[in-house]
Amino acid sequence: MPSPWGWFAVTACGAQRNNFEEPVALQEMDTSNGVLLPFYDPDSSIVYLCGKGDSSIRYFEITDEPPFVHYLNTFSSKEPQRGMGFMPKRGLDVSKCEIARFYKLHERKCEPIIMTVPRKSDLFQDDLYPDTPGPEPALEADEWLAGQDAEPVLISLRDGYVPPKHRELRVTKRNILDARPPSGPRRSQSASDAPLSQHTLETLLEEIKALRERVQAQEQRITALENMLCELVDGTD
């Protein structure tokens, strides 16, 4: 019996096919026995296939016409993945034409893998970013359990588009008149601008004198300790 990662089957394509019993396309991948991790992007009709324990990501385009599955390319790396995560479309950087972002789980780290479509234009790419499902649910849990159904609430990614910042050379001339003090009534002299009184000046001088005496006393103590240290060192020699 084929392994889960050895074969890839498309069970339904398009809105008119609702038969999930038989696949409409069967694609042989390899002979690995790892668990298949599929990620499907309905906006671009691309399915990404990751195998647990494998080191590659294969992606295919799904269409409504035979043969339904079209191989696009393979992303390969050196280290195998222990798991894989997929960023929702609203979290991508549309200014860099990013169409998919994976988070590859290693033994000690998580590595982002970014897939982009090269475009020369800096404008928003409407064909790459159609309206996509947003974070707001279309139904509450009770409504869904009651059998109701609704289409997802779509959002536009154009609001999240950030155009690239072009560096512009600007030459500005400084106006010497801007340095002039503002015209107007002169402010009144505050208490901090008032001259020191004789009593305050004498108090400051006494404090400075006391600090100098304290510093000199500390210097004498340091000198005495250094002399004692030298005597101890000479005695040990």
Side-chain angles (χ1 to χ4, degrees):
M1 183 176 180
S3 62
W5 178 227
W7 295 84
F8 163 59
V10 178
T11 56
C13 291
Q16 298 179 356
R17 297 189 60 91
N18 297 320
N19 184 11
F20 291 93
E21 297 180 358
E22 297 181 0
V24 296
L26 191 64
Q27 179 73 33
E28 183 177 1
M29 306 299 296
D30 55 24
T31 58
S32 175
N33 58 357
V35 179
L36 179 65
L37 304 175
F39 299 96
Y40 179 64
D41 180 14
D43 297 338
S44 58
S45 300
I46 297 178
V47 60
Y48 301 88
L49 301 179
C50 314
K52 189 175 181 180
D54 194 9
S55 58
S56 61
I57 302 176
R58 298 175 177 88
Y59 41 105
F60 302 80
E61 183 180 7
I62 309 299
T63 60
D64 292 333
E65 296 81 15
F68 304 110
V69 179
H70 305 271
Y71 171 76
L72 296 178
N73 207 339
T74 299
F75 171 83
S76 300
S77 58
K78 296 181 180 180
E79 299 182 6
Q81 55 250 12
R82 292 176 173 267
M84 191 72 69
F86 191 64
M87 170 67 73
K89 211 59 173 295
R90 60 182 180 273
L92 302 181
D93 189 352
V94 298
S95 63
K96 297 180 180 179
C97 296
E98 183 182 359
I99 62 171
R101 185 190 306 170
F102 296 90
Y103 291 95
K104 180 179 178 180
L105 180 62
H106 296 266
E107 182 178 0
R108 298 180 180 275
K109 65 179 181 178
C110 184
E111 175 191 4
I113 299 176
I114 298 175
M115 297 187 178
T116 60
V117 176
R119 293 288 175 89
K120 295 182 179 180
S121 176
D122 293 336
L123 301 177
F124 179 77
Q125 306 297 320
D126 297 281
D127 58 330
L128 296 180
Y129 304 104
D131 292 347
T132 188
E136 183 180 355
L139 290 174
E140 297 294 338
D142 297 338
E143 297 174 346
W144 183 80
L145 292 174
Q148 299 185 22
D149 193 8
E151 295 294 330
V153 180
L154 303 180
I155 61 172
S156 175
L157 297 180
R158 184 181 295 271
D159 297 336
Y161 171 65
V162 179
K165 296 181 180 180
H166 299 283
R167 298 182 60 182
E168 299 181 358
L169 180 61
R170 295 183 179 181
V171 179
T172 57
K173 294 183 179 180
R174 186 177 180 182
N175 191 348
I176 60 175
L177 297 179
D178 296 338
R180 296 178 57 184
S183 59
R186 298 181 60 182
R187 61 184 180 91
S188 59
Q189 188 177 17
S190 61
S192 60
D193 298 334
L196 297 176
S197 62
Q198 185 66 24
H199 176 71
T200 304
L201 184 59
E202 292 177 355
T203 303
L204 292 176
L205 292 176
E206 291 178 356
E207 292 181 358
I208 294 174
K209 183 179 179 181
L211 290 174
R212 286 180 178 177
E213 294 177 353
R214 185 174 181 180
V215 170
Q216 292 177 358
Q218 294 294 339
E219 290 179 352
Q220 294 176 0
R221 178 174 175 80
I222 292 173
T223 303
L225 293 175
E226 289 178 348
N227 294 332
M228 293 176 59
L229 181 62
C230 292
E231 293 176 358
L232 291 175
V233 173
D234 295 339
T236 55
D237 294 340

